Amino acid sequence: MSVTLPFEATLFNSQFWDNLALLVGQILLILIIVWIVFVIAMVALIVLSIKRKHLYFPMLLRPVLAFTEGAVATGCQVLGVDATQLMEFLIKIDNDVNTTAFAAVPVENRAVFFPQCLRSSNCPARLTPDGLKCISCGRCGLGSVIPPLEEAGYKTFLIPGSTFIKRMVKKYRPQAMIGVGCILEVKEGLEMGKRISMITLGVVTKTDGCVETTMDWDELLEVASIGLPEPIVRREQVMDESLKRE
Ligand code: SF4
């Protein structure tokens, strides 16, 4: 006696489905192998770049890292690269990739965002709708870089929080920005730059923390001078006599 199978059963028992399942399995296997090869190559390139202090293939690293970052971070950790070193490296790649586009933006369309932790704890700057207004009182290095940056054409913002960045970007519509901050802030700033299609460079402070952090001001001015005919140089600050007495 012959038994009639339901239509679905005959369909999925056919040679066609066997072949299709085999093909899908093989494609998946190839994709997994390619992904593993990419991860191993990325880990090797990153470890080599960090150890030799030289960026190898940054244009290739950035897009591939976008879909392998988690596995690459684990691989790097196994080979002795800690999370901070990896983050510094990712910032370097982003900066390297964005430098040419940044250089092409006229300085009038660029902005620099400073975190307020760079100020002296006795900073007399007043809060305005555009952030804190530095008066170059001489108590911290900000007063020696903000005036020359603004004279060169930059818009500068000393901000009490990252929400200010979005607000100022919306208000002044710069085409490129430099974000200053600790490693985590700069990484987040670079990611925000990508989200809002803004050419962004990051400069990391020398110390972390919420009060009186320090940074390499010359490094910042070097980055700010990219694409300019003349380098921007620091300005001597003269501390106001009345402030000296405070
Ligand atoms: S230079 Fe003076 S006013 Fe300007 S941010 Fe530093 S402490 Fe504040």
Side-chain angles (χ1 to χ4, degrees):
M1 186 180 80
S2 68
V3 178
T4 310
L5 289 170
F7 174 70
E8 293 83 0
T10 51
L11 182 67
F12 287 107
N13 278 333
S14 70
Q15 187 65 34
F16 168 78
W17 285 108
D18 285 351
N19 290 342
L20 186 66
L22 193 66
L23 185 69
V24 169
Q26 283 170 343
I27 290 172
L28 271 179
L29 189 66
I30 289 169
L31 285 178
I32 290 169
I33 291 170
V34 169
W35 186 80
I36 290 171
V37 169
F38 266 125
V39 169
I40 293 171
M42 289 299 104
V43 171
L45 274 179
I46 290 172
V47 174
L48 205 65
S49 298
I50 291 174
K51 302 281 178 206
R52 296 202 172 167
K53 297 191 186 332
H54 178 82
L55 277 184
Y56 292 101
F57 309 110
M59 300 301 264
L60 168 80
L61 278 170
R62 204 57 199 106
V64 177
L65 269 172
F67 61 91
T68 55
E69 197 169 327
V72 167
T74 310
C76 286
Q77 261 174 2
V78 171
L79 294 179
V81 173
D82 63 34
T84 308
Q85 283 177 304
L86 184 62
M87 245 192 273
E88 278 174 358
F89 180 76
L90 295 177
I91 290 169
K92 264 192 206 142
I93 294 182
D94 277 339
N95 282 348
D96 196 79
V97 168
N98 290 342
T99 297
T100 310
F102 184 88
V105 175
V107 67
E108 299 75 31
N109 296 329
R110 300 181 188 179
V112 187
F113 290 92
F114 293 102
Q116 67 158 346
C117 60
L118 282 167
R119 299 188 297 156
S120 154
S121 53
N122 295 317
C123 174
R126 296 243 153 78
L127 186 61
T128 73
D130 287 357
L132 292 145
K133 278 291 150 216
C134 170
I135 57 166
S136 300
C137 74
R139 287 175 173 163
C140 81
L142 282 163
S144 69
V145 296
I146 288 178
L149 281 167
E150 290 186 341
E151 277 165 31
Y154 273 94
K155 287 181 184 64
T156 67
F157 301 96
L158 180 51
I159 53 167
S162 58
T163 49
F164 255 83
I165 301 180
K166 278 189 193 153
R167 199 133 43 90
M168 293 304 104
V169 166
K170 213 169 166 187
K171 186 169 175 186
Y172 292 101
R173 307 223 164 260
Q175 291 170 11
M177 66 177 177
I178 298 174
V180 178
C182 65
I183 287 187
L184 210 61
E185 285 169 333
V186 168
K187 189 166 184 284
E188 283 171 7
L190 288 165
E191 278 161 13
M192 182 206 287
K194 278 181 217 152
R195 281 199 302 276
I196 60 174
S197 303
M198 167 87 64
I199 303 158
T200 310
L201 297 182
V203 181
V204 178
T205 52
K206 281 209 280 198
T207 50
D208 286 350
C210 301
V211 187
E212 297 196 348
T213 52
T214 57
M215 72 169 302
D216 183 340
W217 300 108
D218 293 327
E219 182 197 350
L220 168 75
L221 292 182
E222 207 178 299
V223 172
S225 302
I226 289 171
L228 304 187
E230 297 284 331
I232 303 171
V233 288
R234 284 181 76 178
R235 174 87 39 88
E236 280 280 327
Q237 296 183 90
V238 183
M239 194 184 274
D240 192 302
E241 286 302 315
S242 61
L243 291 171
K244 276 183 188 168
R245 287 192 291 275
E246 280 177 26

